[in-house]
DNA sequence: CGATTCACG
DNA sequence: ACGTACGTGAATCGT
């Protein structure tokens, strides 16, 4: 057996280190009571990472007792230049001690002494009693305590890494000196952070050299007369007192009047049962998940009435289908897929049941898709189903001939509405967010990335599925209650949930893409690109990778000597806005051309060809309904919301999008200026409202106001363009700088334009001020349908973070309300089309635009019907305006 | 896997 | 003195 282990931890130094390591995110680490937790998080990681694996026999965390110590008594200015400890850290000191206690470690502090002195004293007491001592600190000066029985661990990079010092390592760093000589070095060197002087002109390097020669400060001064005449010698003589003072201040005391006995320091190990409520108080979700995975029972803090239910899951077979038949009313259901894209992925298992009667799981898809009780329940509108991601569930089941209906609760969707910041798609992660810990994440169970694999073992697989279904059921009541408290029940039941199934139908229907046309474009583009490539290499004088901004930067800004107008984190920027300003250089013009064509080819031509389904010649996008911060949809795999339109060459891509039947047309319907109309409505600005009520050209009307033109003046295109930029700027949460950059003017002009704008549209001005105050007070902003976005940074100390939050506060109600409106229109449109039994299909949504495929005999009707439904989706104090276009391809529907 | 660039509203 | 327009997704480079 080795010696018993004594662990001494420098609480103050490490708390400061932990606090400042996460100082940039101090406002992100706040618990539900407003307590900052960044230092607590770091300290906890340290305790978990060091103490518990270390298994000490005795352990102590030492703290500073107060502001005054024997050092401040000896030297008035000691630490006199330190800023006051920030309040955000001060409030963490008590909980830090509690955390230490719950980790089974004794806290200690001593009046008039610093934590260092307690540690020094206890370290020596430990050595005398035969302990191997380890000291953990962020303070490099503690290395003076190292000896054969004392090792000092110093955290670096904040607190994530550790350097371990034995006498050999100290000698390495200090040019062969002993740990005790560290004090002598410090004496000569002084310490600016503790505000004590040392000898001027002597830094660490020189100090080490002198101590190597003279061993310590007293000996140095005994022999100082023999030293060669120099400025350094003069300083040493002049500042002799300072040297001795510094040396004294730097020396950690080994004889502090500590009232502790080693027996008081027995390490008690982690106090799990008490640590759980403590972590819950701090909102340490990850720690709680860890504890839950270790088998500790976590009961919800916000939901005491819903204690952990024991899992009851069994394999479903043809023999016990009767148990499924018995399920009524509220049924929890979950399907597992073997991939992300539910248009292609296979169902690999499912589970059905409820908390009272338990769960039945299976891999046998016949039990799902044949005429079984499972299918009957899923297709029964009267039986409420609770699921996680009903769009995925619906689409997947649809491919297995099951028509899911009667979905009442969608955990993913509700969780998103409650807080759009929690953008995880994983059931386990989301459950943990809501303080439910009886389920693991898929990453934990199946592995992530290349390691992903559905588990073979039935027992483990069914348990995971069962826990997922159980989590869905358990979270239904509390989350629905929260929706109600947020006044979001209508948003959920009237908009988001019905929309899910509208989107599912659009995705399943897909849109036809003409592969031949794309292949034609592919060969033409490939040819043009290889010609351009040759030209570019000639213009550059040698070959290089045109697609590498790094290589291009070297050529333009080093070899050719062009002036870099902008830089990025990693080097020169070569983006369009930079290159467009140097198009007189032939190479640059070629590069711009190349980039444009390469983008069209790789992202759109090749990209689309890759995702056309062989079976139906269509692409089936997936709309993400639970991702954006504003309530918009996003579209992936392929993204059909960013098909080129602004530049003709890219716009050609749209010719490949066709209706699914010959003779049909594509019809597009877009809201005109929906965001500005929403702005006029929300701000209730009279002038802006009148402009829309009179169906004026809003950008021209704005130009007349901000440039002081007559009411009937003709507005030239340049002024209109600037006014348009200002209108956009207002929607985005304007800044002088942003506007100046956008319209290419100076900041002063931009400021005066903005001032005039806000003066003219005084309702807008009033609203922007109010919405920021409102966000500060409530912590969130809302859309017209009560979609909510939290803005924790609205009170941030960082100017950047706070400004961003303020612009978001202005933009989100506008962008988000526009999203609400088109979502409502989509639901109504789908319902009207079904009711009228039309053959037309809604295919795509592009934020303010809907695209349909329409048979010849429904064209006239749809041109009338679609705008009617869209412009009456909600009643605002300004009219909504919708324009329609039709054509044989998407390109022609303009 | 982050950074850069560029496509859309 | 700070360093900015809002919201997205995909391809590519290079560590």
């Amino acid at each position: 057996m080795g010696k018993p282990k004594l662990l001494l931890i420098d609480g103050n130094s490490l708390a400061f280190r932990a606090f400042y390591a996460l100082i940039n995110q101090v406002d992100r680490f706040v618990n539900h009571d407003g307590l900052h937790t960044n230092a607590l998080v770091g300290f906890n990681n340290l305790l978990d990472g060091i103490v518990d694996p270390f298994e000490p026999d005795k352990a102590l965390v030492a703290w500073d007792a107060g502001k005054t110590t024997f050092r401040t008594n000896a030297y008035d200015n000691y630490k006199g230049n330190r800023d006051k400890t920030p309040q955000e850290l001060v409030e963490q000191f008590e909980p830090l001690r509690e955390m230490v206690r719950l980790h089974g470690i004794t806290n200690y502090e001593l009046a008039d002494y610093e934590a260092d002195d307690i540690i020094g004293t206890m370290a020596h007491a430990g050595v005398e009693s035969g302990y191997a001592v380890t000291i953990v600190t962020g303070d490099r000066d503690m290395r003076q305590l190292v000896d054969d029985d004392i090792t000092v661990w110093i955290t670096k990079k904040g607190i994530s890494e550790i350097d371990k010092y034995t006498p050999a390592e100290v000698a390495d760093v200090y040019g062969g000196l002993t740990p005790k000589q560290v004090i002598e070095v410090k004496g000569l060197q002084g310490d600016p952070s503790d505000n004590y002087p040392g000898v001027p002109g002597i830094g660490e390097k020189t100090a080490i050299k002198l101590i190597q020669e003279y061993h310590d400060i007293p000996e140095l001064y005994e022999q100082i007369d023999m030293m060669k005449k120099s400025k350094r010698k003069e300083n040493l003589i002049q500042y002799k007192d300072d040297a001795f003072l510094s040396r004294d201040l730097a020396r950690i005391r080994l004889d502090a009047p500590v009232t502790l006995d080693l027996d008081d320091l027995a390490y008690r190990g982690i106090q799990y049962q008490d640590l759980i409520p403590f972590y819950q108080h701090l909102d340490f979700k990850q720690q709680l998940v860890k504890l839950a995975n270790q088998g500790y029972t976590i009961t919800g803090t916000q939901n005491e009435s819903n204690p952990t239910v024991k899992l009851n899951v069994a394999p479903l077979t043809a023999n016990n289908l009767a148990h499924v038949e018995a399920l009524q009313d509220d049924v929890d259901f979950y399907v597992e897929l073997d991939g992300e894209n539910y248009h292609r992925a296979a169902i690999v298992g499912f589970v059905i049941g409820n908390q009272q009667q338990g769960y039945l799981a299976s891999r046998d898809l016949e039990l799902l898709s044949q005429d079984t009780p499972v299918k009957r329940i899923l297709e029964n509108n009267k039986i409420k189903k609770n699921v996680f991601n009903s769009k995925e569930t619906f689409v997947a089941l649809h491919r297995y001939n099951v028509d899911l209906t009667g979905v009442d609760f969608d955990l993913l969707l509700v969780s998103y509405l409650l807080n759009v910041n929690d953008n995880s798609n994983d059931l386990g992660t989301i459950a943990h967010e809501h303080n439910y810990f009886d389920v693991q994440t898929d990453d934990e169970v199946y592995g992530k990335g290349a390691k992903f694999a559905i588990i073979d073992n039935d027992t483990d697989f069914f348990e995971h599925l069962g826990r997922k279904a159980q989590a869905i059921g358990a979270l239904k009541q509390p989350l629905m209650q929260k929706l109600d408290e947020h006044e979001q029940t209508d948003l959920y039941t009237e908009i988001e949930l019905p929309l899910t199934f509208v989107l599912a139908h659009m995705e399943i229907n897909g849109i036809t893409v003409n592969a031949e046309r794309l292949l034609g474009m592919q060969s033409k583009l490939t040819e043009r690109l290889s010609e351009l490539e040759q030209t570019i290499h000639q213009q550059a004088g040698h070959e290089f990778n045109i697609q590498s901004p790094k290589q291009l930067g070297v050529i333009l800004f080093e070899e050719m000597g062009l002036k870099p107008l902008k830089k990025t984190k990693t080097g020169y920027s070569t983006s369009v806005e930079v290159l467009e300003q140097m198009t007189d250089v032939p190479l640059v013009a070629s590069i711009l051309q190349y980039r444009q064509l390469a983008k069209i080819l790789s992202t759109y031509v090749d990209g689309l060809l890759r995702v056309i389904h062989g079976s139906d010649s269509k692409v089936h996008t997936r709309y993400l309904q639970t991702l954006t911060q504003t309530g918009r949809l996003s579209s992936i795999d392929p993204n059909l919301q960013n098909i080129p339109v602004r530049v003709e060459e890219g716009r050609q891509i749209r010719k490949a999008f066709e209706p699914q039947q010959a003779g049909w047309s594509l019809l597009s319907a877009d809201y005109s200026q929906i965001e500005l109309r929403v702005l006029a409505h929300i701000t209730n600005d009279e002038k802006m409202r009148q402009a829309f009520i009179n169906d004026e050209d809003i950008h021209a009307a704005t130009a007349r106001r901000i440039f002081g033109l007559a009411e009937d003046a003709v507005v030239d295109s340049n002024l209109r363009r600037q006014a348009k930029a200002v209108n956009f700027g207002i929607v985005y949460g304007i800044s002088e700088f942003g506007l100046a950059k956008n319209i290419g003017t100076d900041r002063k002009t931009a400021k005066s334009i903005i001032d005039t704008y806000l003066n003219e549209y005084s309702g807008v001005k009033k609203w922007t001020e109010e919405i920021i105050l409102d966000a500060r007070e409530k912590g969130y902003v809302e859309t017209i349908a009560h979609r909510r976005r939290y803005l924790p940074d609205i009170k941030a100390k960082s100017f950047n973070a706070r400004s961003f939050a303020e612009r978001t506060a202005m933009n989100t109600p506008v962008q988000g309300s526009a999203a609400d409106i088109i979502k409502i229109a989509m639901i109504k449109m789908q319902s009207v089309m079904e009711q009228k039994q039309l053959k037309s299909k809604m295919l795509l949504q592009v934020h303010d635009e809907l695209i349909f495929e329409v048979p010849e005999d429904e064209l006239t009707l749809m041109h009338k019907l679609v705008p009617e439904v869209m412009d009456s989706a909600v009643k605002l104090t300004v009219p909504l305006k919708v324009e329609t276009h039709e054509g044989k391809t998407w390109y022609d529907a303009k």
Side-chain angles (χ1 to χ4, degrees), chain A residues 103-168:
Chain A
H103 277 78
I105 306 170
T106 303
N107 289 293
Y108 188 71
E109 65 182 47
L110 181 62
D112 291 338
Y113 287 84
E114 295 185 57
D116 316 19
D117 304 307
I118 300 171
I119 289 177
T121 304
M122 289 313 292
H124 276 262
V127 171
E128 274 171 30
S129 306
Y131 282 83
V133 179
T134 301
I135 295 170
V136 185
T137 178
D139 179 357
R140 313 184 81 76
D141 299 342
M142 292 278 259
R143 289 179 290 195
Q144 64 182 266
L145 294 174
V146 169
D147 75 15
D148 289 340
D149 296 310
I150 303 177
T151 307
V152 173
W153 293 4
I154 300 190
T155 58
K156 35 175 221 181
K157 271 198 182 171
I159 51 163
S160 56
E161 281 177 38
I162 281 181
D163 282 337
K164 299 182 180 180
Y165 289 90
T166 63

Side-chain angles (χ1 to χ4, degrees), chain A residues 174-317:
Chain A
Y174 278 94
L177 299 184
T178 65
K180 290 204 167 48
Q181 288 175 302
V182 170
I183 307 169
E184 312 298 327
V185 171
K186 287 292 292 185
L188 294 176
Q189 189 191 345
D191 188 331
S193 78
D194 286 350
N195 204 32
Y196 57 80
V199 179
I202 295 189
E204 190 175 67
K205 291 264 165 61
T206 317
I208 290 174
K209 217 172 76 192
L210 288 170
I211 298 303
Q212 279 169 342
E213 195 177 340
Y214 297 98
H215 311 293
D216 59 29
I217 290 177
E219 198 179 326
L220 182 148
Y221 280 102
E222 274 168 31
Q223 304 196 27
I224 191 126
D225 294 341
M226 331 237 293
M227 206 181 271
K228 263 199 335 235
K229 185 171 172 344
S230 68
K231 181 73 192 165
R232 177 179 300 156
K233 181 176 176 182
E234 279 173 38
N235 277 338
L236 280 167
I237 293 168
Q238 190 185 343
Y239 295 97
K240 182 176 176 184
D241 288 351
D242 280 343
F244 278 93
L245 171 67
S246 295
R247 176 173 178 258
D248 197 43
L249 290 171
R251 188 168 56 82
I252 294 171
R253 296 305 188 260
L254 308 179
D255 56 357
V258 168
T259 56
L260 280 177
D261 196 88
L262 277 170
D263 291 336
D264 299 328
L265 306 187
Y267 175 58
R268 298 182 295 281
I270 296 182
Q271 312 292 300
Y272 286 100
Q273 285 315 326
D274 293 330
L275 201 54
I276 289 167
F278 181 69
Y279 282 163
Q280 285 175 329
H281 171 63
L282 297 181
D283 293 335
F284 277 12
K285 299 277 160 60
Q286 285 188 355
Q287 298 298 326
L288 289 166
V289 171
K290 222 162 90 186
L291 292 178
N293 288 341
Q294 289 169 21
Y296 291 93
T297 303
I298 319 277
T299 48
T301 36
Q302 298 164 347
N303 189 23
E304 293 294 359
S305 63
N306 186 18
T308 309
V309 181
K310 208 172 146 19
L311 177 69
N312 172 2
V313 62
L316 175 68
T317 66

Side-chain angles (χ1 to χ4, degrees), chain A residues 382-410:
Chain A
K382 300 269 159 41
I383 300 180
K384 289 177 184 158
K385 263 78 66 181
N386 309 316
V387 301
F388 177 84
N389 194 345
S390 45
K391 183 150 63 66
E392 171 178 288
T393 309
F394 180 93
V395 176
L397 288 176
H398 179 84
R399 290 169 42 227
Y400 288 79
N401 194 31
V402 177
D403 183 22
L404 176 67
T405 158
V407 172
D408 191 53
F409 177 65
D410 180 338

Side-chain angles (χ1 to χ4, degrees), chain A residues 326-331 354 382-386 406 476:
Chain A
L327 293 168
Q328 298 206 347
D329 199 27
D330 238 352
V331 174
N354 64 28
K382 300 269 159 41
I383 300 180
K384 289 177 184 158
K385 263 78 66 181
N386 309 316
K476 179 176 186 176

Side-chain angles (χ1 to χ4, degrees), chain A residues 427-537:
Chain A
L427 191 154
T429 309
I430 287 176
H432 302 157
E433 300 274 358
H434 296 289
N435 291 320
Y436 182 94
F437 298 103
D438 270 356
V439 58
Q440 286 182 283
T441 66
D442 284 344
D443 282 356
E444 285 165 347
V445 178
Y446 301 138
K448 57 180 166 183
K451 289 191 187 128
F452 175 89
I454 298 292
I455 35 187
D456 295 333
N457 177 306
D458 275 359
T459 314
D460 294 346
F461 183 48
F462 293 162
E463 165 155 344
H464 185 47
L465 295 191
R467 289 192 180 278
K468 284 187 175 187
Q470 181 167 254
I472 294 168
L475 285 166
K476 179 176 186 176
Q477 192 280 329
L479 296 202
M480 289 304 288
Q481 187 183 327
K482 275 194 194 164
L483 268 189
D484 190 46
E485 289 162 9
H486 289 194
E487 297 177 293
Q488 292 182 308
T489 305
D490 283 355
L491 171 63
Y492 172 65
T493 58
E494 305 299 321
I495 301 180
E496 295 295 341
L497 189 58
L499 179 73
T500 292
F501 300 97
V502 174
L503 293 172
H505 283 113
M506 291 164 66
E507 294 178 15
I508 289 170
N509 187 69
I511 182 166
T512 306
V513 175
N514 184 332
E516 280 75 43
R517 181 173 276 281
L518 290 180
L519 288 167
M521 292 182 76
Q522 189 180 49
S523 56
K524 280 193 187 135
L525 285 168
T526 309
E527 200 181 323
R528 286 182 63 190
L529 278 166
S530 75
E531 284 166 15
L532 262 174
E533 187 183 342
Q534 302 233 333
T535 312
I536 288 169
H537 288 162

